Amino acid sequence: MPNEKGPDHSRRKERSRQAILAATRALVAEEAYEKVTVEAIAARAGVGKQTIYRRWPSKSAVVFAALLALSQDEDGQSVALPDTGDLEADLKLVMRATAEEFADPAFDKLIRALNTEIANDAVLAAEYREKLAQPLEEAKRARLRSAQKAGQLDVDADVDLALEMLYAPLFRRWLQRSGPLTAAYADSLVNATLRAFGPRSGPTPAD
């Protein structure tokens, strides 16, 4: 029946999309990024290269889509930060996972490749901010605002500054390869941030 072909076609398209994204991640992990081509991605995924170009205009766009898929759930929504009511435990869980992800050689190559492209492609940079960076940042802000309401962070804390204190040192260490990205290091960033932005228990220090 005609209406049965639509869902089958949609499922085939989704399987093809997932195969392309998986092939992209695998090839970037295996090869120098400069050597990865759309033709190679298509061959690994078992599709024609025109199948890729119908969805994405360039190799860098496919790489971004492959990375974006890692940050979304099965419904294509950005994954929210955990909120168990224990801010310290939640942040340590997230920061440990972030450190582990950046320390993974496959993810490292993927995100470094994307950052190289973003530096030279204003359109891709804008898409990155809109689809990945901004949703993730807002999820992080929402978790810290929840902690403020629960009295676990100072009510006047600058949540953007708190997030910079959490993430910027980790990103700098990853970018410059200046130290190991360990669970202990992730915990130390959380501890320092909570000391700096936790609820005030005494009088405000004089200026």
Side-chain angles (χ1 to χ4, degrees):
M1 296 177 63
N3 61 351
E4 293 179 351
K5 294 181 180 179
D8 289 340
H9 181 62
S10 296
R11 284 195 291 270
R12 285 197 300 272
K13 287 180 66 176
E14 179 57 20
R15 286 195 298 269
S16 174
R17 188 182 77 89
Q18 292 295 340
I20 292 166
L21 299 183
T24 301
R25 289 190 290 266
L27 284 169
V28 172
E30 295 168 10
E31 303 281 349
Y33 175 68
E34 299 77 16
K35 295 182 179 179
V36 176
T37 64
V38 170
E39 289 79 2
I41 294 170
R44 177 69 65 94
V47 301
K49 69 177 183 179
Q50 289 306 317
T51 300
I52 295 178
Y53 281 123
R54 279 195 294 269
R55 286 177 175 270
W56 299 283
S58 64
K59 180 180 77 170
S60 60
V62 185
V63 171
F64 173 61
L67 178 64
L68 181 63
L70 296 178
S71 71
Q72 298 177 328
D73 61 21
E74 293 181 356
D75 297 321
Q77 301 298 314
S78 294
V79 178
L81 270 65
D83 191 348
T84 65
D86 185 335
L87 179 63
E88 180 180 348
D90 290 346
L91 289 181
K92 285 184 177 178
L93 178 67
V94 170
M95 292 301 291
R96 286 180 180 187
T98 302
E100 182 178 0
E101 188 174 47
F102 274 80
D104 180 271
F107 182 83
D108 174 85
K109 291 186 70 174
L110 187 65
I111 192 65
R112 286 185 190 277
L114 183 62
N115 273 271
T116 299
E117 295 290 350
I118 285 173
N120 299 293
D121 187 336
V123 173
L124 182 63
E127 187 177 12
Y128 175 84
R129 288 193 300 272
E130 176 188 351
K131 294 184 177 179
L132 183 58
Q134 290 177 353
L136 286 176
E137 288 299 314
E138 191 48 48
K140 295 169 188 175
R141 292 187 191 100
R143 181 62 187 93
L144 294 192
R145 292 188 188 111
S146 174
Q148 285 180 310
K149 292 179 181 178
Q152 296 176 330
L153 277 185
D154 188 276
V155 67
D156 295 321
D158 183 331
V159 296
D160 287 325
L161 183 59
L163 288 174
E164 286 187 16
M165 188 168 179
L166 266 176
Y167 285 92
L170 188 150
F171 185 80
R172 177 180 177 275
R173 178 175 284 205
W174 165 78
L175 181 65
Q176 299 182 354
R177 308 181 197 269
S178 59
L181 300 175
T182 62
Y185 179 64
D187 287 355
S188 71
L189 294 177
V190 173
N191 293 337
T193 301
L194 293 182
R195 283 196 299 270
F197 295 94
R200 298 178 184 178
S201 57
T204 303
D207 291 336

